[in-house]
Amino acid sequence: MARPAAGEITGARAPTPDEAAASIAAASDLRVEFRAWYSHLMAERRVSPATLVGYLRDLTRFFEFMTDHLGGVATLDDLRRLELRDFRAFLTLRRKEGLQSRSLARALSSIRSFFRFLDRGGVVSNAALTALRSPKLPHAIPKPLTAGAAFDLIDEAAAQETAPWIAARDTAILMLLYGCGLRIAEVLSLDRRDAPLRETMRIIGKGRKERLVPVLAIAREAVDDYLRLCPFGLTDGDALFVGARGKRLDQRMVRGTVINLRRRLGLADTVTPHALRHSFATHLLAGGGDLRSIQELLGHASLSTTQMYTEVDSQRLLDIYDKAHPRAGH
């Protein structure tokens, strides 16, 4: 099944530490520490390529701000002297540039990660950052598909007017997202050696957390159908799901496919690959599954994360009540 070393592959290559350090606007002493931090994330913490790219994007923008803010590229001493108002100025700028609270919180988390690394290494300590509050995030509950819409999406993928092997590939991917509750990165991290799939599959998810996931017979058959039609002679070390050139499929391609499918079906913009994972959990809960088991299947580190699906189910019951009860609305 999925190898631990590949559990977080996303299909997109993250820059190397040297490439990352060379891309930021900073003085040489700061570049050295930035490279060390990035290398630590990549080699020791084994952060996913997608997360690495996100960290790099956030810090690149932060150092661009610092260059304008200070009138020159930042040094380690500059980081040490930053005050609370400097960090707030950065967040204010990003807000004006259109970032919403969730993206602002992620950017601040990236900056804090870098500063924690500097502090633990005895390089730079800055108490101002610890006093800065993260943006308040709006409370949102997942927006799952109905069971019928999920089935329609998968059926529409199978009926695409594309090469038969591509239609079979997309069908198999959607089946694993909805039938197993996998993250898109986890599906695309599978290698050819992982198939044919067995009744259970060992998955390495976020934070290197390992879990055992049952695989429905219909999902196993979908993967078998895809491999039977796939024109590439894939070997054990190759990706299981590949694009038109035989390389590991990129998340953006899957997202694009789902966008096209939902438009053809007239579904809401909230229908995404991750919404299928939400649907998996919500439908299990509605069918009588217990939260602790669903937590294990999803690979959530905390039960509180899984509890958001109880809100989805409660809202569903309220909607049914409002539509069906003769006294609703009176």
Side-chain angles (χ1 to χ4, degrees), residues 153 155-162 170 257-267:
L153 196 74
D155 289 343
E156 188 68 19
Q160 292 178 94
E161 294 181 1
T162 58
D170 293 345
T257 296
V258 171
I259 289 173
N260 291 332
L261 293 174
R262 80 187 183 204
R263 286 174 177 169
R264 291 210 293 269
L265 292 169
L267 298 176

Side-chain angles (χ1 to χ4, degrees), residues 108-308:
L108 186 55
S109 176
S110 299
I111 295 168
R112 281 178 167 146
S113 173
F114 180 51
F115 273 77
R116 279 196 303 270
F117 178 81
L118 296 178
D119 187 44
R120 288 169 183 165
V123 179
V124 166
S125 180
N126 189 312
L129 189 57
T130 61
L132 183 63
R133 292 184 179 180
S134 294
K136 188 174 182 180
L137 299 180
H139 179 68
I141 60 175
K143 296 178 175 60
L145 289 73
T146 64
F151 295 146
D152 288 345
L153 196 74
I154 294 171
D155 289 343
E156 188 68 19
Q160 292 178 94
E161 294 181 1
T162 58
W165 77 272
I166 292 179
R169 178 201 67 194
D170 293 345
T171 302
I173 290 173
L174 297 184
M175 196 73 75
L176 290 173
L177 292 171
Y178 177 57
C180 301
L182 301 184
R183 300 177 178 91
I184 184 174
E186 294 167 347
V187 172
L188 299 185
S189 75
L190 295 172
D191 290 333
R192 176 62 183 86
R193 64 165 55 88
D194 297 324
L197 301 182
R198 300 175 184 173
E199 292 184 355
T200 58
M201 179 166 46
R202 196 169 300 279
I203 294 294
I204 308 297
K206 284 187 175 180
R208 312 303 303 160
K209 184 176 175 60
E210 183 177 301
R211 69 188 191 278
L212 201 63
V213 178
V215 184
L216 298 173
I218 192 172
R220 301 197 301 271
E221 292 166 5
V223 172
D224 291 342
D225 288 343
Y226 153 66
L227 286 174
R228 179 172 51 81
L229 295 171
C230 183
F232 301 101
L234 303 177
T235 59
D236 281 358
D238 292 328
L240 175 58
F241 294 111
V242 297
R245 297 182 180 180
K247 302 298 182 183
R248 190 178 298 273
L249 195 63
D250 190 277
Q251 288 191 30
R252 290 170 296 180
M253 297 295 295
V254 180
R255 293 192 183 99
T257 296
V258 171
I259 289 173
N260 291 332
L261 293 174
R262 80 187 183 204
R263 286 174 177 169
R264 291 210 293 269
L265 292 169
L267 298 176
D269 290 347
T270 54
V271 175
T272 63
H274 202 68
L276 287 170
R277 174 173 156 89
H278 289 323
S279 305
F280 165 83
T282 305
H283 298 163
L284 280 182
L285 185 64
D290 67 275
L291 274 178
R292 186 68 68 180
S293 297
I294 295 172
Q295 176 194 2
E296 290 297 322
L297 290 173
L298 292 174
H300 286 162
S302 169
L303 185 62
S304 62
T305 305
T306 315
Q307 285 173 333
M308 64 182 174

